[in-house]
Amino acid sequence: MRDQLPALIVLIPMAVATLMPLIAFLSVRILPYVAVGTLIASFICAVSVLNRVLSHGAFSYWFGGWEPPWGVEYVIDPLSAGLAVLITFFAALIAVYYGPFLREDAGAFRKGLVYALFLLMTAGLVGIVFSGDLFTLFVFIEISSLATYALVASGGPKAAVASFNYILIGTVGVSFYLLGLGYLYALTGTLNMADLAVLLQSLEDSQTVMIALLLIIVGISLKMALFPMHGWLPDVHTYAPPPLKAFLAGVKLKIFAYILLRLFFFTFGAEYGEVPTILNALGLTASIGIIVTAAIAIRQEDFRRVLAYSTISQIGYVVLGLAIGNAVAMKGALLHIVNHAFMKCCLFFIAGSVTWKTGEYSIDMYAGLSKKMPLSMTAFLISAISMIGLPPTAGFFSKWYLVQGAIMEGAWHYVVVIAFGSLLSAIYFFKTIEQVWLKKTDQVKPPGLELPLALLVPIMITGVGVLVLGIFNEPIVTHVLQAMLPGRGF
């Protein structure tokens, strides 16, 4: 049974997703419990798999016993297993958080469909990080994306328009990706990543390989909303259902950064041909994006759009880690993927909860919320400070690793970008912090809990997580993230 755990992490939510509409007809009340229980089961499987690879090393899982390249292969190493734990953990939190946002007048089928789509999206993301070949990766990208499009559209008329734009951009992105795969397959006869890593070593000067890589990068960058290919994201992060926004910003977008990491440093090799030039170009793009989108965030009055542009800016830090390319910067990139998941999910949880409680989303209307929602606003303060990069919160340490890596490479322009980007983030977050904590109002905390437990518990878990990741960053980096680094080129 233990050998089947990699498959079960994906198959459990997929199988339950097919049953959710039926379960909804039988009993709408048990839907959240089934969804949360399913994702906890996947999370437990993922933790077991991560423990196995950390103790005994990486391994492959072949579906039906068919060896690659003919069969579907999962590659289970510390990087993929660690991200599977991250995905399933936050998926379970989001499933808890989703309940209060499903309208009471929504029919049983609609509620069942929402949970079914969310389970499919989660399964697709885990499949992405486990995929051992580029075509299987494409299949899981589409499973996750199609479910996401529908979930975004469930937020109302404006969300439906945002979802349509998302579909158009997503289709263009995946078309670029598939075209790149076509070039690679025509040249090598395989899309298995391990095979490609060997075959491409003898094709260093091939223009076909470089064209394929460029097409794939453009496609993934569109899906990841890397500046300047981010146009679809602000509206999605503004109008999609609040639980989905948290999952998109905190988890899903970083999975596409993982794809770039896997391609560059595991398949093509960090030292391969013109790849360093492409990485430098991505680093330049990310640097501009960090500054420009942070500056745009300062001008926003809608807190949802502040978080949207902040997300685009923060993605740039992960790409900077790849562009710097040494082991220290890579640790910073991986740590920022984890840290940002906690920080941004917490902030979107809070933004959604404020809207749920007050109906407001303007920063001006956050005045005095520290008195009305003290627990939530304390978590907000911790997460905002972490996004800025102040110690001892998690955000400081991932940026510190990135700065160290940049100094080691003599890339002082990246150091300036990281510092200036943090300064800009301080400006737009302190605008809200001022409203929440310093503006005087007559609001008083009502008796009882400030939010339902389904909303408050995810906020507190992620808020505490930001502090825990900061205080205990050294053992996390040493015992987990260190094992995730690619061996070649380091």
Side-chain angles (χ1 to χ4, degrees):
M1 181 67 177
R2 185 183 179 189
D3 293 337
Q4 309 304 320
L5 289 181
L8 291 176
I9 298 172
V10 177
L11 292 178
I12 288 174
M14 275 193 170
V16 176
T18 63
L19 300 175
M20 290 304 272
L22 176 61
I23 294 172
F25 278 116
L26 297 176
S27 175
V28 175
R29 289 179 176 272
I30 68 171
L31 275 176
Y33 301 100
V34 173
V36 173
T38 299
L39 293 167
I40 289 176
S42 288
F43 171 69
I44 293 171
C45 292
V47 171
S48 179
V49 168
L50 176 61
N51 182 63
R52 175 180 172 181
V53 297
L54 290 176
S55 302
H56 301 98
F59 64 96
S60 293
Y61 180 90
W62 301 338
F63 278 84
W66 287 81
E67 296 186 27
W70 306 109
V72 174
E73 180 187 31
Y74 278 176
V75 174
I76 317 298
D77 59 12
L79 179 58
S80 60
L83 286 177
V85 170
L86 186 75
I87 293 166
T88 51
F89 172 78
F90 278 98
L93 276 186
I94 301 293
V96 172
Y97 187 78
Y98 228 120
F101 289 95
L102 291 177
R103 290 174 14 210
E104 292 297 329
D105 58 348
F109 180 78
R110 181 184 177 88
K111 292 181 179 179
L113 189 59
V114 166
Y115 281 112
L117 290 169
F118 185 73
L119 291 175
L120 285 176
M121 181 176 67
T122 303
L125 292 178
V126 177
I128 288 171
V129 299
F130 280 166
S131 293
D133 70 82
L134 295 176
F135 186 78
T136 303
L137 191 148
F138 155 74
V139 172
F140 281 115
I141 286 176
E142 285 302 279
I143 290 173
S144 177
S145 295
L146 291 172
T148 305
Y149 300 148
L151 286 171
V152 171
S154 69
K158 291 184 178 179
V161 175
S163 178
F164 181 71
N165 293 333
Y166 187 13
I167 292 170
L168 293 179
I169 299 299
T171 302
V172 172
V174 82
S175 298
F176 274 107
Y177 177 84
L178 274 178
L179 191 57
L181 296 197
Y183 277 105
L184 284 179
Y185 188 79
L187 190 65
T188 64
T190 183
L191 292 176
N192 182 274
M193 294 185 195
D195 291 344
L196 285 171
V198 175
L199 295 172
L200 292 177
Q201 293 182 37
S202 62
L203 298 169
E204 292 184 358
D205 299 323
S206 172
Q207 291 186 351
T208 304
V209 173
M210 299 315 302
I211 291 172
L213 182 57
L214 283 170
L215 289 169
I216 292 171
I217 289 171
V218 171
I220 297 302
S221 297
L222 282 166
K223 302 286 282 186
M224 186 171 59
L226 181 65
F227 180 89
M229 293 171 277
H230 65 280
W232 59 269
L233 187 140
D235 283 347
V236 169
H237 274 24
T238 301
Y239 302 119
L244 184 63
K245 289 186 283 193
F247 198 58
L248 285 176
V251 180
K252 183 175 179 179
L253 296 179
K254 309 314 176 313
I255 300 306
F256 293 103
Y258 156 84
I259 296 174
L260 294 181
L261 169 60
R262 180 67 75 176
L263 285 175
F264 276 121
F265 295 99
F266 289 82
T267 303
F268 289 87
E271 72 285 358
Y272 173 74
E274 295 296 319
V275 169
T277 302
I278 298 175
L279 279 173
N280 286 331
L282 281 178
L284 176 62
T285 299
S287 299
I288 297 171
I290 288 172
I291 304 302
V292 171
T293 53
I296 295 173
I298 293 173
R299 300 177 56 191
Q300 305 303 310
E301 298 300 327
D302 185 330
F303 189 57
R304 299 171 300 179
R305 295 190 83 81
V306 170
L307 294 181
Y309 284 105
S310 171
T311 297
I312 302 165
S313 182
Q314 294 294 319
I315 289 171
Y317 290 107
V318 178
V319 177
L320 279 191
L322 306 186
I324 296 167
N326 57 38
V328 175
M330 293 287 287
K331 291 176 188 176
L334 290 172
L335 185 58
H336 202 66
I337 288 174
V338 178
N339 290 346
H340 189 257
F342 279 87
M343 297 184 296
K344 192 51 67 73
C345 278
C346 184
L347 291 169
F348 267 113
F349 284 157
I350 292 165
S353 297
V354 170
T355 302
W356 181 88
K357 188 178 182 70
T358 68
E360 302 293 345
Y361 44 78
S362 172
I363 293 175
D364 291 339
M365 302 308 295
Y366 277 54
L369 280 181
S370 59
K371 294 182 179 179
K372 194 173 183 179
M373 304 170 65
L375 292 176
S376 299
M377 291 304 121
T378 300
F380 162 74
L381 181 63
I382 293 170
S383 296
I385 289 174
S386 185
M387 291 286 291
I388 295 166
L390 298 179
T393 57
F396 168 79
F397 293 98
S398 51
K399 291 183 179 180
W400 176 246
Y401 280 111
L402 291 173
V403 168
Q404 281 186 307
I407 292 173
M408 290 171 63
E409 296 298 318
W412 291 98
H413 54 294
Y414 289 149
V415 176
V416 173
V417 167
I418 294 168
F420 191 51
S422 297
L423 176 62
L424 293 176
S425 63
I427 295 172
Y428 61 73
F429 275 118
F430 274 119
K431 282 174 57 180
T432 310
I433 291 172
E434 179 186 13
Q435 291 289 329
V436 170
W437 288 95
L438 301 180
K439 289 289 185 180
K440 294 182 179 180
T441 67
D442 296 328
Q443 292 182 1
V444 294
K445 185 180 183 297
L449 284 175
E450 60 192 64
L451 290 168
L453 285 176
L455 300 182
L456 187 59
V457 168
I459 290 172
M460 299 312 298
I461 288 175
T462 50
V464 171
V466 171
L467 281 178
V468 171
L469 286 171
I471 296 170
F472 296 100
N473 80 93
E474 194 278 333
I476 293 171
V477 171
T478 302
H479 299 297
V480 181
L481 298 187
Q482 180 71 37
M484 295 182 180
L485 295 180
R488 184 170 48 174
F490 292 89

